[in-house]
């Protein structure tokens, strides 16, 4: 739903999240930043070409007086389409509008950007609430369902925007529910009596007891198998969460220190460093549902991660990526697998200009082999081994037993088997 992201350091060139951005959009963003250059935070609904977007903007100033302006645009139509499909079985529908009456969200996306007072049976007075309750209610003819609905209107504060939400519930459902309750309430006693008779009847068949117990045992066994699978998956998720909690602050502080040094000496590299850092964190905060990703996606991520590490350590680190089989790129690998292995190599080995740490990634048909030269640090660094435990648990969940790590011929070698998911 995010159309684009952008940022500007001081008054330098505005950088965008995508390369293929239209010149009209670039000018629009530049004008917006200029108009809001003295604003710390802003939220705006505006028209961009044929589309309506929700623009969220921030400005921060660091201790060294570096000003960073950044923000992102959300397509209101895509946002509307997303929420319209969240629960297709709901008996009510909702739309959102701002204080001027402009429609921000509606299940019929053609209404977005239009004056809701002109197309729906709603009045500005519906947004005025008394002290006793924070909503108003009326029975009106729906502009969407074309039948009577009970409408509730209330405030909806999103990022300090003066928005309002209107929930419409078909009145016919309420009437039907009352009639059904009256119609079937007389059956309650009869149904209860029949159930009790059925229970006594079933208990009279003592000769089927063994058969029933066998059936219960089979069901219990199946339930335990399902529960065990859930526990294994939850264990992987917990390990992944521990891993992310361990990676994020450590990695972020080191990266910010490197960025601080670059800003004063190499602005272009600092800009590229900032862009890669933002994309890395977007990847880190949005884990896949099943803990695995396409190999090609993990390679794109690790290339950005390697750039940050090489910017930090310069000639102390060498990396190489070799692809022997292109078909392997469509297979899957545990989320953050490369980062875990490379981070461990940097953490536990010395790296100097005279004796650099060299890491090689080789993509083969059914596995990825990662190796680095062993130059262990003289002092022991305690390790929680969350990363390797997470990888081992993920592979076990997918029935892979050939994940392994070893030390031989002066190298640390890790074999990451590829996972093929068949639809």
């Amino acid at each position: 739903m995010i159309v684009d992201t952008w940022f500007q350091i001081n008054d330098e060139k505005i950088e965008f999240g995508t390369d293929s951005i239209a010149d009209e959009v670039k000018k629009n963003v530049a004008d917006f930043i200029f108009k809001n250059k003295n604003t710390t935070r802003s939220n705006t609904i505006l028209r961009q070409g044929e589309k309506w977007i929700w623009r969220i903007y921030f400005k921060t100033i660091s201790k060294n007086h570096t000003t960073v302006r950044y923000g992102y645009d959300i397509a209101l139509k895509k946002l509307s389409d997303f929420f319209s499909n969240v629960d297709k079985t709901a008996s009510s529908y909702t739309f959102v509008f701002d204080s001027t009456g402009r429609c921000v969200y509606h299940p019929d996306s053609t209404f977005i950007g239009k004056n809701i007072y002109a197309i729906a049976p709603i009045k500005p007075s519906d947004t005025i609430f008394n002290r006793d309750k924070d909503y108003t209610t009326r029975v009106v003819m729906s502009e969407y369902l074309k039948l009577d609905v009970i409408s509730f209107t209330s405030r909806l504060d999103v990022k300090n925007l003066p928005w309002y939400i209107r929930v419409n519930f078909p009145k016919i459902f309420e009437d039907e529910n009352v009639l059904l309750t009256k119609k079937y309430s007389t059956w309650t006693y009869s149904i209860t009596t029949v159930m009790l008779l059925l229970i006594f009847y079933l208990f009279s068949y003592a000769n089927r007891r063994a058969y029933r117990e066998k059936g219960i045992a089979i069901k219990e066994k199946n339930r335990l198998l399902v529960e065990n699978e859930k526990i294994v998956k939850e264990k992987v998720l917990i390990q992944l969460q521990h891993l992310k909690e361990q990676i994020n602050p450590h990695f972020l502080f080191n990266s910010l220190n490197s960025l601080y040094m670059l800003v004063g000496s190499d602005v272009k590299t600092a800009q590229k460093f900032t862009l890669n850092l933002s994309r890395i964190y977007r990847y880190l905060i949005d884990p896949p549902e099943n803990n695995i990703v396409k190999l090609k996606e993990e390679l794109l991520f690790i290339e950005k991660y390697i750039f940050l590490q090489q910017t930090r350590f310069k000639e102390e680190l060498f990396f190489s990526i070799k692809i022997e089989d292109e078909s392997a790129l469509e297979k899957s690998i545990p989320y953050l697998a490369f980062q875990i292995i490379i981070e461990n190599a940097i953490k536990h080995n010395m790296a100097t200009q005279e004796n650099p740490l060299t890491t090689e990634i080789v993509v083969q048909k059914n596995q990825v082999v990662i190796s680095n030269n062993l130059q262990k640090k003289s002092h022991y660094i305690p390790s929680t081994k969350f990363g390797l435990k997470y990888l081992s648990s993920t592979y076990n969940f997918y029935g892979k037993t050939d994940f392994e790590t070893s030390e031989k011929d002066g190298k640390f070698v890790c074999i990451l088997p590829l996972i093929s998911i068949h639809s």
Side-chain angles (χ1 to χ4, degrees), residues 279-293:
R279 290 176 176 173
I280 283 175
Y281 266 82
R282 178 178 294 180
Y283 188 82
L284 284 174
I285 65 176
D286 188 20
E289 180 179 355
N290 296 319
N291 282 348
I292 58 172
V293 293

Side-chain angles (χ1 to χ4, degrees), residues 43-80:
N43 289 267
T44 307
I45 301 297
L46 52 86
R47 193 179 186 90
Q48 187 166 275
E50 297 296 323
K51 301 177 181 178
W52 285 91
I53 63 171
W54 175 15
R55 176 165 290 168
I56 302 175
Y57 165 81
F58 305 88
K59 182 183 76 172
T60 60
I61 301 177
S62 64
K63 292 182 180 180
N64 63 350
H65 305 295
T66 299
T67 301
V68 180
R69 301 178 179 91
Y70 59 99
Y72 53 93
D73 298 337
I74 298 176
L76 286 183
K77 185 178 185 306
K78 292 182 179 179
L79 183 67
S80 177

Side-chain angles (χ1 to χ4, degrees), residues 70-271:
Y70 59 99
Y72 53 93
D73 298 337
I74 298 176
L76 286 183
K77 185 178 185 306
K78 292 182 179 179
L79 183 67
S80 177
D81 292 341
F82 171 78
F83 282 113
S84 297
N85 289 288
V86 169
D87 185 5
K88 296 182 180 179
T89 62
S91 58
S92 62
Y93 76 95
T94 302
F95 62 81
V96 179
F97 58 97
D98 63 18
S99 57
T100 66
R102 183 191 294 114
C103 183
V104 176
Y105 161 75
H106 197 286
D108 185 349
S109 58
T110 59
F111 288 174
I112 294 177
K114 296 183 180 179
N115 186 347
I116 202 67
Y117 296 129
I119 59 178
I122 184 172
K123 302 176 182 179
S125 59
D126 290 341
T127 62
I128 301 175
F129 315 105
N130 57 38
R131 294 182 178 179
D132 298 330
K133 57 183 181 180
D134 56 358
Y135 68 92
T136 59
T137 179
R138 285 198 302 131
V139 177
V140 296
M141 174 64 71
S142 168
E143 82 289 346
Y144 181 55
L145 301 178
K146 305 304 180 185
L147 50 81
D148 286 341
V149 295
I150 304 174
S151 292
F152 299 87
T153 307
S154 182
R155 290 186 181 89
L156 178 67
D157 293 328
V158 179
K159 298 292 185 181
N160 299 319
L161 287 171
W163 287 2
Y164 298 90
I165 183 171
R166 184 138 173 143
V167 180
N168 299 292
F169 188 91
K171 189 174 185 298
I172 188 174
F173 289 170
E174 182 186 41
D175 296 339
E176 287 177 353
N177 290 337
V178 173
L179 292 174
L180 287 172
T181 302
K182 292 179 179 179
K183 180 179 179 180
Y184 293 109
S185 61
T186 57
W187 289 86
T188 304
Y189 177 76
S190 299
I191 293 174
T192 304
T193 303
V194 171
M195 291 179 64
L196 289 173
L197 290 174
L198 181 60
I199 290 172
F200 282 112
Y201 175 76
L202 291 174
F203 271 100
S204 67
Y205 289 93
N207 60 333
R208 296 187 180 181
R209 181 176 179 180
Y211 176 79
R212 289 200 305 270
E213 289 180 350
K214 182 178 179 181
I216 292 172
I218 293 174
K219 289 181 180 179
E220 182 66 15
K221 180 181 178 180
N222 292 335
R223 186 187 69 81
L224 290 174
L225 288 174
V226 172
E227 289 296 325
N228 182 63
E229 185 172 320
K230 289 181 179 179
I231 291 171
V232 172
K233 188 172 184 179
E234 288 173 358
K235 179 182 177 183
V236 174
L237 292 174
I238 291 171
Q239 289 175 339
L240 175 59
Q241 184 60 34
H242 282 306
L243 177 66
K244 290 179 66 180
E245 289 173 356
Q246 183 184 41
I247 291 173
N248 287 349
H250 175 74
F251 176 64
L252 178 61
F253 294 151
N254 287 337
S255 298
L256 291 179
N257 286 336
S258 299
L259 180 59
Y260 176 80
M261 300 299 295
L262 284 172
V263 167
S265 61
D266 191 340
V267 176
K268 289 185 177 179
T269 303
Q271 291 174 344

Side-chain angles (χ1 to χ4, degrees), residues 295 299 322-329 331-334 338 360-370 395 400-404 408 413-420:
L295 176 58
L299 282 172
K322 182 179 179 182
I323 299 175
E324 295 182 351
D325 194 314
E326 294 285 342
S327 64
L329 298 177
K331 297 179 181 178
S332 299
I333 198 169
F338 289 166
E360 182 182 32
I361 301 175
V362 181
V363 177
Q364 299 175 353
K365 184 177 181 179
N366 295 312
Q367 64 184 18
V368 177
V369 180
I370 304 179
Y395 277 121
K400 290 285 186 179
T401 58
D402 44 352
F403 163 69
E404 63 176 271
K408 55 184 179 181
V413 179
C414 177
I415 297 177
L416 300 170
L418 298 179
I419 301 170
S420 298

